[in-house]
């Protein structure tokens, strides 16, 4: 039994008469003066209790009953007839979803898939599909729906009834490679826009990312409206999530933002089937009550949808509220057992607890008790809850829908501890399922898992199609095409980057100046979305605050402390900058929303999320992976990058790995530029590819805060910058070659001077803007060769380096694995230097010595390649001279 603040059982009440007087007084106020007066009095009581030091805090929970009273329920559209049709449709979808999974696993036991989750969520989905999830039309951009990932068989099964998918598609569930070989579309395990780009909009397969992405999509919709880029509309963002999924930190990370910004365009439906994969979500307490207090505390409107219409009569007959009270104190572990067992068991173990409950159950047969559904399986109640949510103003809404996991699976899985992973049903279980849902299937059809679609002219099909037509077309659906947008003139917004000869400039400074120029572009500027997570000042971006404003949906209600300053902190309703505060997960979700705006809203936006590079791929890598899946287009800018370039900050801040991690994301094009002009050329090309060519790639740039001496861009190197390497200044007959990336280019140039001074070795320095792009090119060529194709082509690295036999040293401020990635394509002796290991706090010079990447160490690596010719003694003498630890 759980503690409930709503208990009024006599043994806990020391003065029952007094309690009753208070309750009667309240009831009479409500009756004669109305709810508002009652609220006023309650507030007065709270105030007084505080003054008296009573120490009372309002419970964030309401009783364990439906929030919407029977009398307040919006009626089900189309009445009983429509309800029956929709229930039949739900049964058919359930069958096809189950058949799809069982069939795949009969053929290949390794394929996996889920039945029980959708079985619990089916009615929640169906009511959405028939009445709420609006498609995209000429006039209306459609609602956004985040689907619980492992319920995808249900979404496919529905698309099959709608004629969007055929039987072959269903047969190819989780067989995407084989299907493609036969020219068919296989069905992805979970929502993956990358693999089903016209179908799925949002990837949700990694638990927790759906909820936070949904919050920021709803927020970005408002941003576009407030900036007059989208007309105001009543579009909604719906998210159907699991109760177990709510344990993910990301699931709850955006809740307060949603309430603070009054996102009443956002509705979460949490399928509280009380189970996750291994067992109960909260065996010893109640997840519904816990989520209610969580969401209430965060400022959301909570609608509890717990009991079906079958219970209405019982609650009405239970004048003392005993039923609600005992339900509210029944912990989830017991609830699950009650779901998995028969009516007789429930009579004996639930209704027998008090004489009052027993009397209620005496009116019912065991079968009646067995049929007492939970609220999330009653379309009437679901409709009423969705209707109330869709009309609620001023707050986001969460519907906590109580369901049964594996609903209808009987012995095969209903409420069973192992139901999550049940993917095989035997013949008897299949037939029982058919009978349970009254499906018109012969034994043979049932045993062979035949898919079932009613005839086109059947009332079911006509109803289904009429509903979807009414709601503006199919859901889910994804759009990818827009009018190509020309890239702005680079010389206009970034001309400065080519005129910095002789100046010292960091790549971060160059980037911020370029961004400012881009934002000032008349046509293009408004499409730029700068995003920061409380580091704008760190990167020198405070100058953007005043002219462009920080987005604040309700404006700025205070006089900023620095109001007189040119850099004043300026918040405004139509502010362009998204200042997210310290939430990299939130900022990345904002970036994703902006980066998918071309598809979700038909408005291409160009987001730049600038952040501490260590807190990107490493910290929110999975959100980046999900953005990649949904074909995000935009720029991620990892500032203060480099394990030695960011001096002082130490082990947790110094990023030596993000370039390596970025290289694992297939559609992420990553660069580590050194010079301002490199930054400009790369950004311009990114805009061209993403905006004009509409390629589904995104860019990752690491920029750093070390000022390095700029020079004029060598002639004709643009292609090299983009392909990944170019020579800074060709040296005829060079004996050494150094490939360096980012700020290490400056160390490489200094190493060249050392080599000349100490050994008279002439050295050529190359700027490697992207080891990753070079490695990808090399791998592609080698594969082609394996297939006997493009036999006369060579990897770009090989082409660039094969003219000479001079050995090559590569140096990066990232781990050695980054330059190692091109070793196979380097046609000469190749040594790599990098910054493996934990960072630490010290000056740049000390750090580069420690990690053995400064000019002296680079020179040493180069002379070692010439050791035979130079002799050990000269090398040791050099080491002593420059302060390297010589052995002699
Ligand atoms: C980040 C992440 N961790 C683990 C999983 C594996 N997983 C898939 S479904 C699931 C249980 C989901 O439980 P719940 O959210 O309660 O949904 P239900 O299936 O019960 O409706 C788990 C652990 C995942 N998909 N993502």
């Amino acid at each position: 039994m759980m503690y409930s603040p709503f208990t009024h059982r006599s043994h806990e009440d020391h003065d029952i008469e007094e309690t009753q007087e208070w309750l009667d007084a309240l009831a009479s106020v409500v009756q004669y003066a109305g709810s508002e007066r009652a609220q006023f009095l309650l507030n007065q009581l709270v105030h007084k209790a505080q003054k008296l030091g009573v120490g009372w805090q309002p419970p964030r929970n309401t009783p364990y009953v439906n929030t919407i009273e029977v009398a307040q329920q919006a009626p089900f559209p189309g009445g009983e007839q429509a309800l029956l049709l929709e229930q039949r449709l739900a049964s058919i979808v359930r069958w096809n979803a189950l058949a799809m999974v069982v069939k795949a696993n009969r053929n290949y036991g390794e394929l996996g898939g889920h039945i029980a989750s959708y079985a619990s969520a089916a009615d929640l989905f169906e009511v959405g599909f028939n009445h709420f999830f609006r498609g995209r039309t000429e006039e209306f951009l459609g609602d956004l729906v985040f689907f619980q990932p492992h319920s995808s068989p249900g979404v496919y099964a529905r698309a099959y009834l709608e004629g969007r998918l055929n039987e072959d598609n269903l047969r190819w569930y989780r067989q995407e490679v084989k299907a493609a070989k036969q020219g068919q579309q296989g069905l992805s395990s979970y929502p993956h826009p990358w693999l089903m780009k016209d179908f799925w909009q949002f990837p949700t397969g990694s638990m927790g990312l759906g909820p936070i992405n949904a919050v920021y999509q709803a927020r970005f919709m408002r941003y576009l409206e407030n900036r007059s880029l989208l007309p105001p509309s009543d579009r909604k963002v719906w998210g159907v999530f699991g109760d177990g999924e709510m344990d993910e930190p990301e699931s709850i990370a955006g809740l307060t933002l949603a309430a603070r910004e009054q996102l009443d365009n956002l509705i979460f439906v949490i399928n509280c089937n009380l189970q996750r994969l291994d067992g109960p979500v909260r065996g010893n307490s109640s997840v519904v009550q816990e989520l209610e207090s969580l969401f209430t505390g965060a400022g959301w409107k909570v609608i509890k949808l717990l009991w079906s219409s079958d219970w209405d009569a019982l609650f009405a007959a239970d004048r003392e509220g005993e039923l609600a009270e005992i339900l509210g104190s029944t912990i989830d572990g017991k609830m699950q057992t009650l779901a998995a067992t028969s009516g007789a068991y429930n009579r004996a173990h639930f209704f027998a607890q008090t004489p009052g409950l027993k009397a209620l159950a005496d009116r019912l047969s065991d079968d009646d008790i067995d049929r007492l559904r939970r609220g999330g399986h009653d379309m009437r109640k679901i409709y009423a809850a969705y209707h109330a949510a869709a009309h609620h103003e001023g707050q986001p809404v969460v519907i906590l829908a109580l369901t049964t996991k594996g609903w209808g699976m009987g012995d095969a899985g209903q409420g069973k501890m192992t139901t999550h992973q049940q993917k095989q049903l035997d013949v008897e279980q299949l037939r029982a399922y058919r009978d349970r849902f009254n499906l018109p299937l012969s034994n043979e059809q049932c045993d062979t898992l035949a898919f079932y679609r009613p005839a086109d002219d059947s009332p079911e099909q006509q109803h289904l199609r009429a509903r979807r037509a009414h709601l503006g077309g199919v859901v889910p659906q994804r759009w990818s095409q827009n009018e190509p947008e020309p890239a702005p003139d680079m010389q206009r917004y970034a001309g400065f980057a080519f005129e910095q000869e002789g100046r010292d400039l960091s790549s971060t400074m160059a980037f911020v100046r370029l961004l400012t120029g881009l934002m000032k572009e008349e046509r293009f500027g408004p499409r730029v979305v700068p995003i920061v997570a409380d580091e704008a000042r760190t990167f020198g971006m405070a100058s953007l605050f005043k002219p462009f404003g920080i987005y604040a949906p309700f404006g700025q209600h205070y006089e900023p402390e620095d109001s007189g300053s040119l850099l004043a902190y300026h918040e405004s309703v139509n502010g362009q900058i998204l200042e997210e505060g310290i939430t990299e997960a939130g900022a990345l979700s904002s970036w994703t929303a902006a980066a998918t705006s071309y598809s979700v809203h038909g408005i291409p936006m160009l987001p730049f999320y600038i952040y501490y590079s260590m807190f990107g791929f490493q910290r929110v890598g999975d959100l980046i992976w999900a953005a990649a899946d949904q074909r995000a287009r935009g720029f991620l800018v990892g500032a203060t990058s480099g394990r030695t370039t960011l001096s002082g900050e130490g082990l947790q801040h110094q990023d030596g790995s993000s370039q390596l991690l970025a290289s694992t994301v297939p559609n992420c094009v990553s660069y580590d530029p050194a010079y301002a002009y490199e930054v400009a050329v790369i950004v311009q090309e990114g805009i061209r590819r993403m905006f004009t060519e509409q390629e589904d790639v995104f860019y990752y740039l690491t920029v750093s805060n070390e000022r390095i001496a700029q020079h004029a861009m060598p002639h004709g190197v643009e292609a090299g910058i983009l392909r990944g390497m170019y020579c800074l200044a060709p040296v005829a007959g060079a004996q050494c070659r150094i490939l360096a990336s980012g700020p290490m280019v400056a160390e490489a140039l200094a190493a060249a001077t050392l080599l000349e001074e100490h050994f008279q070795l002439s050295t050529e320095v190359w700027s490697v803007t992207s080891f990753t792009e070079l490695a990808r090119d090399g791998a592609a060529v080698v594969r082609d060769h394996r297939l006997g194709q493009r036999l006369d082509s060579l990897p770009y690295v090989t082409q660039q380096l094969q003219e000479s036999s001079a050995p090559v040293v590569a140096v990066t401020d990232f781990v050695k694995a980054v330059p190692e990635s091109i070793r196979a394509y380097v046609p000469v002796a190749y040594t790599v230097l990098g910054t493996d290991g934990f960072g630490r706090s010290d000056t740049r010079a000390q750090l580069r010595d420690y990690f053995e990447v400064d000019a002296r160490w680079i020179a040493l690596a180069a002379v070692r390649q010439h050791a035979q010719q130079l002799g050990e003694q000269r090398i040791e003498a050099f080491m002593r001279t420059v302060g390297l630890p010589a052995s002699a």
Side-chain angles (χ1 to χ4, degrees):
M1 286 286 194
M2 237 171 3
Y3 167 73
S4 158
F6 308 104
T7 187
H8 50 274
R9 266 167 289 155
S10 49
H11 65 272
E12 287 168 24
D13 190 343
H14 307 298
D15 192 341
I16 294 173
E17 261 176 47
E18 186 185 44
T19 308
Q20 200 55 50
E21 274 171 28
W22 280 71
L23 294 177
D24 289 346
L26 181 65
S28 108
V29 170
V30 175
Q31 190 179 352
Y32 298 109
S35 304
E36 250 177 61
R37 172 78 186 147
Q39 283 176 17
F40 174 81
L41 289 176
L42 288 169
N43 285 335
Q44 293 299 308
L45 277 179
V46 172
H47 194 63
K48 189 74 185 171
Q50 252 164 8
K51 280 201 157 164
L52 295 171
V54 174
W56 179 82
Q57 285 207 324
R60 292 221 173 87
N61 279 128
T62 57
Y64 206 69
V65 294
N66 293 339
T67 304
I68 300 175
E69 305 261 352
V70 178
Q72 296 169 334
Q73 278 174 216
F76 194 82
E80 199 64 27
Q81 202 189 354
L83 181 68
L84 285 173
L85 277 175
E86 289 177 28
Q87 284 171 341
R88 278 194 55 70
L89 280 167
S91 299
I92 296 166
V93 177
R94 281 171 189 281
W95 168 261
N96 288 327
L98 173 136
M100 187 186 325
V101 177
V102 178
K103 203 187 267 287
N105 283 280
R106 260 191 200 170
N107 295 336
Y108 305 98
E110 68 197 82
L111 287 178
H114 303 83
I115 299 170
S117 302
Y118 177 69
S120 68
D123 299 301
L124 299 173
F125 278 32
E126 275 304 300
V127 174
F129 278 127
N130 284 321
H131 300 282
F132 292 93
F133 303 161
R134 292 166 297 177
R136 182 153 158 177
T137 64
E138 291 281 309
E139 301 80 38
F140 184 75
L141 282 167
D143 293 329
L144 316 185
V145 187
F146 285 74
F147 290 100
Q148 189 190 31
H150 45 291
S151 287
S152 56
V155 182
Y156 294 139
R158 189 163 222 280
Y160 166 64
L161 288 199
E162 292 171 359
R164 302 177 65 195
L165 297 176
N166 58 35
E167 287 200 11
D168 284 337
N169 296 132
L170 301 200
R171 271 193 209 98
W172 294 121
Y173 168 65
R174 288 190 175 224
Q175 294 159 74
E176 296 173 297
V177 176
K178 193 170 170 191
K181 283 182 184 162
Q182 309 202 5
Q184 301 268 358
Q185 169 71 58
L187 300 185
S188 306
S189 50
Y190 306 117
H192 291 307
W194 191 261
L195 298 164
M196 294 177 69
K197 77 176 171 57
D198 302 322
F199 193 91
W200 292 116
Q201 263 188 315
F202 305 113
T204 49
S206 180
M207 310 263 102
L209 305 191
I212 191 168
N213 274 184
V215 167
Y216 283 85
Q217 280 288 0
R219 199 290 200 93
F220 193 70
M221 213 185 257
R222 287 282 157 80
Y223 169 90
L224 289 175
E225 291 175 4
N226 281 326
R227 291 195 52 220
S228 306
L229 290 161
L230 261 188
S233 92
D234 71 341
R235 288 168 78 199
K236 301 279 183 209
V237 179
W238 293 83
V240 185
F241 307 116
D243 47 0
E245 179 171 11
M246 292 313 294
D247 279 343
E248 290 285 1
E250 292 89 348
S251 295
I252 58 174
L255 300 189
T256 50
L257 170 108
R260 196 162 59 245
E261 301 206 355
Q262 301 182 11
L263 298 180
D264 52 14
N265 56 347
L266 178 64
I267 300 168
F268 277 11
V269 179
I270 301 189
N271 176 13
C272 297
N273 57 29
L274 312 185
Q275 290 178 246
R276 43 178 158 78
L277 192 154
D278 284 342
V281 180
R282 294 287 182 274
N284 293 315
S285 58
S286 161
V287 72
V288 168
Q289 297 300 83
E290 184 179 323
L291 290 175
E292 178 182 36
S293 66
L294 173 77
F295 277 91
T296 304
W300 287 50
K301 163 76 180 165
V302 178
I303 297 178
K304 291 203 286 199
L305 161 61
L306 305 186
W307 308 112
S308 68
S309 310
D310 318 305
W311 293 77
D312 287 347
L314 294 183
F315 284 117
D318 176 40
R319 296 201 190 289
E320 296 303 310
E322 197 177 29
L323 178 59
E325 188 184 316
I326 292 189
L327 284 168
S329 57
T330 304
I331 56 179
D332 287 357
K334 179 166 179 182
M335 283 279 188
Q336 183 190 331
T337 306
L338 294 173
T341 44
S342 65
Y345 182 97
N346 275 253
R347 184 191 298 282
H349 292 87
F350 179 77
F351 287 104
Q353 292 180 84
T354 69
L357 247 57
K358 185 174 174 309
L360 284 180
D362 283 345
R363 310 151 155 229
L364 306 171
S365 69
D366 286 352
D367 282 348
D368 290 338
I369 294 179
D370 204 29
R371 279 194 291 269
L372 288 174
R373 293 163 299 165
R374 292 178 176 174
H377 298 300
D378 179 353
M379 289 184 169
R380 275 183 210 280
K381 298 277 186 200
I382 300 171
Y383 179 84
Y386 286 12
H387 184 272
H391 290 85
H392 186 75
E393 288 178 10
Q395 280 175 301
V397 182
V398 60
I399 294 167
L400 302 175
L402 187 64
T403 64
T404 300
K405 194 148 177 172
W407 171 244
M409 287 169 74
D411 284 347
Q414 179 167 315
K416 299 270 186 238
M417 209 53 99
T418 53
T419 192
H420 188 87
Q421 286 172 305
Q422 177 70 289
K423 14 197 155 279
Q424 294 284 14
L425 273 77
D426 62 28
V427 166
E428 286 316 309
Q429 290 167 331
L430 286 171
R431 291 184 187 181
Y433 197 79
R434 171 199 61 185
D435 298 342
R436 164 73 184 75
F437 290 105
N438 218 357
L439 292 151
L441 296 170
S442 67
N443 282 349
E444 201 210 328
Q445 285 171 315
C446 192
D447 302 350
T448 56
L449 296 161
F451 296 122
Y452 174 62
R453 175 155 59 190
D456 278 353
D457 59 357
S458 64
E460 289 88 351
Q461 282 287 26
Q462 289 192 350
H463 183 77
L464 173 130
R465 283 164 202 241
R467 292 310 309 157
R468 283 315 319 161
H470 178 75
L471 291 165
V474 292
V475 170
Q477 192 171 18
R478 184 183 171 279
W479 282 260
S480 34
Q481 279 311 310
N482 293 294
E483 287 295 304
E485 299 265 342
D489 177 1
M490 173 173 68
Q491 286 303 334
R492 202 170 50 216
Y493 73 86
F496 76 93
F498 302 87
E499 296 157 5
Q500 296 298 313
E501 200 173 347
R503 300 208 185 113
D504 286 348
L505 201 66
S506 74
S507 48
T508 302
M509 289 156 83
F511 166 74
V512 172
R513 202 162 152 194
L514 173 147
L515 180 68
T516 313
L518 202 51
M519 290 174 78
K520 286 184 182 152
E521 281 286 309
E522 197 181 328
R523 204 179 117 75
F524 202 83
R527 299 300 180 90
V528 175
V529 185
I531 304 170
V532 287
D534 202 28
E535 294 286 356
R537 292 183 198 280
T538 313
F539 310 134
M541 293 172 64
S543 58
L544 299 179
F545 290 165
K546 196 155 178 186
F548 298 105
I550 295 166
Y551 175 68
F554 308 112
Q556 188 165 36
H557 297 285
Y558 59 94
E559 178 82 10
E561 175 278 327
D562 57 357
S563 59
S565 138
L566 272 177
L567 304 179
Y569 197 80
H570 171 53
E571 303 192 59
S572 87
V573 177
N574 61 358
Q576 191 164 353
I577 301 164
L578 287 172
E579 162 62 89
E580 303 294 358
I582 312 168
T583 164
E584 280 76 14
L588 210 287
S589 299
S590 260
W591 181 83
T592 305
T596 53
S597 171
Y598 74 92
S599 159
V600 172
H601 309 293
I603 302 176
M605 299 296 287
L606 190 65
F608 289 85
Y609 169 33
I610 306 104
Y611 56 92
Y612 239 114
S613 74
M614 190 60 160
F615 306 135
F617 277 85
Q618 174 152 315
R619 172 119 192 177
V620 288
D622 202 23
L623 280 158
I624 298 177
W625 186 251
D629 188 349
Q630 62 200 289
R631 297 167 177 266
R633 300 175 187 167
F635 288 89
L636 293 176
V637 184
T640 63
S641 73
R643 187 153 278 152
T644 67
T645 308
L646 176 60
S647 48
E649 287 290 292
L651 172 159
Q652 209 90 46
H653 285 66
Q654 289 161 342
D655 168 32
S657 52
S658 70
Q659 282 291 346
L660 181 64
L661 299 175
S663 74
T664 62
V665 182
N667 52 348
C668 173
V669 186
S670 62
Y671 289 98
D672 185 25
Y675 295 106
Y677 63 80
E678 292 177 5
V679 174
V681 168
I682 292 165
V683 170
Q684 177 72 7
E685 174 68 356
I687 296 175
R688 189 192 67 77
R689 284 182 68 183
M690 295 185 285
F691 252 66
T692 314
E693 301 302 323
Q694 302 195 37
E695 281 186 53
D696 290 331
V697 292
F698 67 98
Y699 275 60
Y700 176 53
L701 266 66
T702 38
V703 292
S704 75
N705 58 1
E706 181 177 5
R707 290 169 185 253
I708 63 169
Q710 303 287 308
H711 57 225
M713 182 169 82
H715 183 66
V717 299
E718 287 94 335
I721 292 175
L722 298 174
R723 296 199 67 172
M725 70 191 288
Y726 67 96
C727 185
L728 287 177
V731 175
Q735 293 147 292
C736 305
R737 291 183 287 179
I738 305 174
L739 311 186
S741 67
M744 286 298 139
V745 169
E747 295 288 347
L749 289 169
T753 307
L754 286 177
L755 289 165
E756 182 62 44
E757 278 175 16
H758 293 264
F759 300 98
Q760 292 74 52
L761 286 171
S762 58
T763 306
E764 208 173 56
V765 176
W766 293 63
S767 173
V768 178
T769 47
S770 178
F771 282 107
T772 301
E773 286 302 290
L774 293 174
R776 285 178 178 166
D777 166 75
V781 173
V782 167
R783 175 184 178 270
D784 283 352
H785 288 183
R786 203 159 49 237
L787 294 172
Q789 295 163 3
R790 286 208 291 161
L791 290 173
D792 52 354
S793 64
L794 286 174
Y796 190 71
V797 177
T798 320
Q799 287 173 38
Q800 299 302 302
L801 297 178
Q802 69 176 359
E803 298 285 288
S804 149
S805 60
V808 174
V809 173
V811 59
T812 170
D813 208 7
F814 289 91
V815 290
K816 295 188 190 75
V818 176
E820 279 293 353
S821 64
I822 65 165
R823 178 178 290 282
Y825 323 114
V826 178
V828 293
Y830 185 56
T831 304
V832 303
L833 301 178
T835 54
D836 296 46
F838 285 124
R840 53 211 58 217
S841 307
D842 215 312
T843 61
R844 221 168 258 155
Q846 289 296 339
L847 291 172
R848 288 185 181 165
D849 180 31
Y850 175 81
F851 283 101
E852 304 178 357
V853 292
D854 65 23
R856 302 162 312 148
W857 287 98
I858 299 170
L860 177 65
V863 293
R864 188 57 68 197
Q865 292 170 330
H866 295 273
Q868 264 196 332
Q869 155 208 344
L870 297 172
E872 203 56 37
Q873 277 187 341
R874 277 187 76 189
I875 297 177
E876 282 189 6
F878 165 73
M879 291 174 74
R880 268 194 301 279
T881 311
V882 297
L884 293 179
S887 60

